[in-house]
Structures are given as C-alpha cells and as structure tokens.
Amino acid sequence: MSPEIAAGLLALKKRIDAAKIPPSKLDETINVAVWNIREFGKKRRTVAALHYIAEILGQFDLIALVELRDNLDDFGRVCQFLGSSWDLVYSDWMSDAGGNRERTGFLYDRRAVTFNGLAAEVDAPRAKKDTEYLAAQSFWRAPYMCSFRAGNFDFIAIATHTRWGDSLEGREAELGMLADWIDARQKDKSVEDHDLIVMGDFNTPSLDDKTFRALTRRGLQVPDSLLELKAGDVAVKGSNLGKTMRYDQILHLPTAKKRFTNFGGTLDFHVSDASIKQLFPGQEMTRTQFTYQLSDHFPVWVQIKTDIDGERLTQIVQNAKKG
C-alpha cells in the first residue's frame, strides 16, 4: 500500500466515523446495507478506489450490491482486501440495453451471516395463452432473492435495480408488479420465510412519489430509522451524491418491524467536491470522474436484531396455552 492510499484511507475513516454506524454484535445484531456501486466492473478502478470500496463495504455484515457488472475482476480484487471470511452470492447478467450487463449480488461476512441455500431470480407472473405460459410484462432486471441466517434470525433478502428512463408509467408498473409478487408469495403455504428485507435502487425520487407508493402498496414499510434519512447527524433528502433523491431503499414487511433497531442512515464518503483530493491527491478529478471511482450513490444502512430466542420461547409457551 502506498503512502498516498494510506493517507486516503485515514481521510475516509473520518467520513465513516461521521456516519455513526454502531458496531454489530455477534449473534445479537447485524448491519445491513444496500449500495449501488456505479457500473462496478465496466471500467477498471484505480487501486486506491478498490481499497476505499473495500473499507466502506467492511463496515457492514450483509450488503446488497447493485450495478455489479458482468466483469467481476475488480470485485475479486476488493474481496482480497476484505479477507477470506467474505463471500458473494450473485445473479447472472442481462446483456441487452435495459439489463445494462448488470448483476445483483449479496456480499456477506460469514462470521456474522450464513447463506441458507435459496438463491433465485424473481420471474414476472405468467398466464396461460393457448399452450404457452407467458408474462404480460417484465422486469428490466430480475430482482434477486437469497435466504440468510444471522444469530437465530432467518430471513429472505430481495435486491433489485428498477428500470430507469423517462417512462414513469413503466417504472410504476414494474414496482407494483414486485409488490404484488411479494404479497402473493408471502401468502403461499410454501413460502420459505415470512421475515423479508427488500433492498435496491428503485429510482424512486421521494417517499411521497407515485412510484414509491406502487412499491409499498402491499404493505412494505420503511424502517423507522430511515423515515428521516440522515448522513450522520445531518438530515438529507436522498442517497445520491447531491443528497436530493431517495432512490435507494431498505424495506420490510410488518412481520419484521421489531427486528430493526433505531440505527440507520447513509454513509457520505464524498462530503464535497473540494474534499475529493483528500482521497485522490495529485489528481484533478471532477465529481463525475469521482463517481466512476467510488459511486454516485451512498450506501444506505440499518441495524437489525438477530437474537430472537426469547420471542421463540414465549411463542412456544403461548401456543401450549392455546392448545
């Protein structure tokens, strides 16, 4: 590691400290995040940027990764910096323009989180037409779901990157379709788990926008700690570098509400255009160039309680009394 990267990491650590992310406790809590790392894998990052990305990811135990590209070389280098306890479950990519050659992945620290075995892309609902079963509409990029366990808490995580562009009606329809799919799956007798965490870049500009209302029309909720989004102690309006748009969300169903602590927010690794040179000294870098080294989105994070032994024992006692 060069002295310049070491100095940059020291500056970054101050920005991480400002986010006030509490440490997780083994078998008691985990820190969960979603991060859209701008087109990660399309263009090679500098070694410094890969160190910084690893340092940011290492603040959490489970991270939903959005805009992970087909080329995983840079991600592999980040994993080397993170260490051998980290693992990734990821989807295939879509090669057309809508898919943008993107994957979705879940990066997790095996010391805190266990992958339970379920990994699947969410398919759009189909209906029979003549002899075929066809979908009336589609996801631009299929949401990706995996099952995990942390402490005594088993849950399903779904992550996605919703369509972009000017077609707000198409985005609203896609988000509504995801909401309907979740609702139908949760009501099915064979559902894997009723504890659900939904994460991603939904391209929803605000919590009162019609696209967000479509996403939450079947009961998905924002954790209390994210209702007023904060970067450390400062309230902000969004998770983009301009802090104006709430594209990135972590949501849950009412059944999981009590799992979420009062800790949550964003991690501002940018601070200002003038402070870019603290991470990349000697380089004249614009904000746009900076976003292709780190990202144009901040991570959004929450802390989740994973010790539910007491609740399980209480449930057993209550069920026995009912019987």
Side-chain angles (χ1 to χ4, degrees), residues 114-127:
T114 300
F115 171 55
N116 273 354
L118 171 67
E121 293 185 345
V122 174
D123 291 325
R126 302 183 303 173

Side-chain angles (χ1 to χ4, degrees), residues 5 30 43 54 61 70-71 86 98 102 146 169 171 213 235 248 271:
I5 293 176
I30 55 171
K43 182 180 179 181
D61 302 297
D70 50 336
N71 187 326
W86 288 84
E102 292 180 24
C146 292
E169 293 77 12
R171 191 182 311 160
R213 290 196 297 270
D248 307 289
V271 180

Side-chain angles (χ1 to χ4, degrees), residues 4-5 7-8 52 276-283:
E4 291 78 13
I5 293 176
Y52 302 153
I276 291 175
K277 60 185 178 182
Q278 294 179 348
L279 302 186
F280 299 97
Q283 301 183 46

